[in-house]
Amino acid sequence: QVQLVESGGGLVQPGGSLRLSCAASGNILRVNTMGWYRQAPGKQRELVAVVSSGGSTNYADSVKGRFTLSRDNTKNTVYLQMNSLKPEDTAVYYCNLRSFSSSFWGQGTQVTVSS
Protein backbone atom coordinates (compact mmCIF):
# COMPACT_ATOMS: atom_id res chain seq x y z
CA GLN A 1 0.00 0.00 0.00
CA VAL A 2 0.94 3.63 -0.55
CA GLN A 3 -0.01 6.59 1.61
CA LEU A 4 -0.08 10.15 0.31
CA VAL A 5 -0.03 13.12 2.67
CA GLU A 6 -0.88 16.51 1.19
CA SER A 7 -0.30 19.97 2.60
CA GLY A 8 -0.31 23.60 1.55
CA GLY A 9 -3.87 24.43 0.56
CA GLY A 10 -5.73 27.50 1.76
CA LEU A 11 -7.34 30.79 0.87
CA VAL A 12 -5.53 33.24 -1.40
CA GLN A 13 -6.46 36.36 -3.31
CA PRO A 14 -6.49 36.41 -7.11
CA GLY A 15 -2.99 36.85 -8.43
CA GLY A 16 -1.50 35.24 -5.36
CA SER A 17 0.56 32.10 -4.92
CA LEU A 18 0.37 28.82 -3.05
CA ARG A 19 2.61 25.79 -2.85
CA LEU A 20 1.21 22.30 -2.43
CA SER A 21 3.26 19.36 -1.23
CA CYS A 22 2.56 15.65 -1.39
CA ALA A 23 4.70 13.08 0.39
CA ALA A 24 4.38 9.41 -0.48
CA SER A 25 5.24 6.54 1.82
CA GLY A 26 4.81 2.80 1.84
CA ASN A 27 5.44 0.27 -0.88
CA ILE A 28 6.51 2.65 -3.65
CA LEU A 29 7.77 1.18 -6.85
CA ARG A 30 10.68 2.94 -8.48
CA VAL A 31 8.83 3.59 -11.74
CA ASN A 32 5.85 5.80 -11.08
CA THR A 33 4.07 8.99 -11.97
CA MET A 34 3.04 11.49 -9.31
CA GLY A 35 1.02 14.61 -9.61
CA TRP A 36 -2.10 16.59 -8.92
CA TYR A 37 -5.68 16.53 -10.02
CA ARG A 38 -8.45 18.87 -8.96
CA GLN A 39 -12.19 18.83 -8.64
CA ALA A 40 -14.36 21.92 -8.49
CA PRO A 41 -17.95 21.77 -7.22
CA GLY A 42 -20.23 20.24 -9.82
CA LYS A 43 -17.36 19.32 -12.11
CA GLN A 44 -15.39 16.20 -12.88
CA ARG A 45 -11.94 15.62 -11.50
CA GLU A 46 -9.32 16.86 -13.94
CA LEU A 47 -5.59 16.61 -14.37
CA VAL A 48 -3.54 19.58 -13.23
CA ALA A 49 0.02 18.34 -13.64
CA VAL A 50 1.94 15.08 -13.39
CA VAL A 51 5.62 14.16 -13.41
CA SER A 52 7.19 10.79 -14.06
CA SER A 53 9.97 9.29 -12.01
CA GLY A 54 12.22 10.15 -14.96
CA GLY A 55 11.27 13.81 -14.74
CA SER A 56 8.87 14.20 -17.67
CA THR A 57 6.02 16.59 -16.90
CA ASN A 58 2.57 17.11 -18.32
CA TYR A 59 0.40 20.14 -17.56
CA ALA A 60 -3.18 21.03 -18.23
CA ASP A 61 -3.41 23.86 -20.75
CA SER A 62 -5.24 25.99 -18.20
CA VAL A 63 -2.25 26.06 -15.83
CA LYS A 64 0.69 26.17 -18.24
CA GLY A 65 2.95 29.10 -17.50
CA ARG A 66 1.45 29.60 -14.03
CA PHE A 67 1.99 26.29 -12.22
CA THR A 68 5.25 24.40 -11.82
CA LEU A 69 5.46 20.79 -10.70
CA SER A 70 8.66 19.34 -9.31
CA ARG A 71 9.64 16.18 -7.47
CA ASP A 72 12.29 15.04 -5.06
CA ASN A 73 12.80 11.33 -5.60
CA THR A 74 14.92 11.02 -2.46
CA LYS A 75 11.89 12.10 -0.42
CA ASN A 76 9.16 10.64 -2.65
CA THR A 77 7.63 14.10 -2.62
CA VAL A 78 6.15 16.33 -5.28
CA TYR A 79 5.63 20.08 -5.07
CA LEU A 80 3.15 22.17 -7.02
CA GLN A 81 4.02 25.86 -7.12
CA MET A 82 0.93 27.79 -8.14
CA ASN A 83 1.37 31.41 -9.20
CA SER A 84 -1.01 33.98 -10.68
CA LEU A 85 -3.94 32.12 -9.18
CA LYS A 86 -7.40 32.76 -10.57
CA PRO A 87 -10.85 32.21 -9.06
CA GLU A 88 -11.36 29.36 -11.52
CA ASP A 89 -8.46 27.53 -9.86
CA THR A 90 -10.67 27.06 -6.81
CA ALA A 91 -11.08 23.33 -6.18
CA VAL A 92 -10.10 20.43 -4.01
CA TYR A 93 -6.65 19.34 -5.13
CA TYR A 94 -5.82 15.64 -4.93
CA CYS A 95 -2.38 14.09 -5.04
CA ASN A 96 -2.06 10.94 -7.11
CA LEU A 97 0.58 8.26 -7.53
CA ARG A 98 0.36 5.75 -10.35
CA SER A 99 2.58 2.75 -10.89
CA PHE A 100 1.75 0.15 -13.51
CA SER A 101 -1.84 -0.89 -12.76
CA SER A 102 -2.05 0.72 -9.31
CA SER A 103 -3.33 4.18 -8.49
CA PHE A 104 -3.40 5.87 -5.10
CA TRP A 105 -5.03 9.11 -3.97
CA GLY A 106 -4.51 11.56 -1.17
CA GLN A 107 -7.35 12.90 0.93
CA GLY A 108 -7.45 16.22 -0.91
CA THR A 109 -6.65 19.78 0.08
CA GLN A 110 -8.88 22.79 -0.53
CA VAL A 111 -7.58 25.71 -2.59
CA THR A 112 -9.81 28.77 -2.64
CA VAL A 113 -8.98 31.82 -4.75
CA SER A 114 -11.16 34.73 -3.74
CA SER A 115 -10.99 38.38 -2.84
Side-chain angles (χ1 to χ4, degrees):
Q1 272 290 7
V2 172
Q3 295 78 43
L4 302 173
V5 178
E6 303 147 332
S7 61
L11 172 65
V12 64
Q13 291 186 342
S17 298
L18 281 175
R19 188 192 194 208
L20 305 183
S21 300
C22 174
S25 61
N27 187 19
I28 303 167
L29 297 180
R30 194 170 181 178
V31 177
N32 61 72
T33 296
M34 290 185 70
W36 293 90
Y37 292 72
R38 67 187 181 187
Q39 188 166 18
K43 294 187 176 181
Q44 290 188 334
R45 191 172 297 188
E46 63 178 5
L47 179 145
V48 177
V50 293
V51 58
S52 71
S53 46
S56 298
T57 54
N58 184 31
Y59 293 91
D61 288 343
S62 60
V63 307
K64 284 181 180 177
R66 300 187 298 123
F67 292 10
T68 303
L69 181 65
S70 60
R71 70 182 288 165
D72 183 340
N73 287 333
T74 65
K75 298 180 179 179
N76 292 316
T77 300
V78 291
Y79 307 94
L80 183 67
Q81 179 65 43
M82 305 186 293
N83 298 328
S84 302
L85 282 160
K86 305 175 181 179
E88 50 263 44
D89 294 318
T90 296
V92 178
Y93 284 67
Y94 294 92
C95 182
N96 175 262
L97 185 150
R98 294 176 186 255
S99 185
F100 299 102
S101 60
S102 298
S103 181
F104 303 93
W105 293 93
Q107 78 282 2
T109 184
Q110 178 70 46
V111 172
T112 302
V113 185
S114 175
S115 56

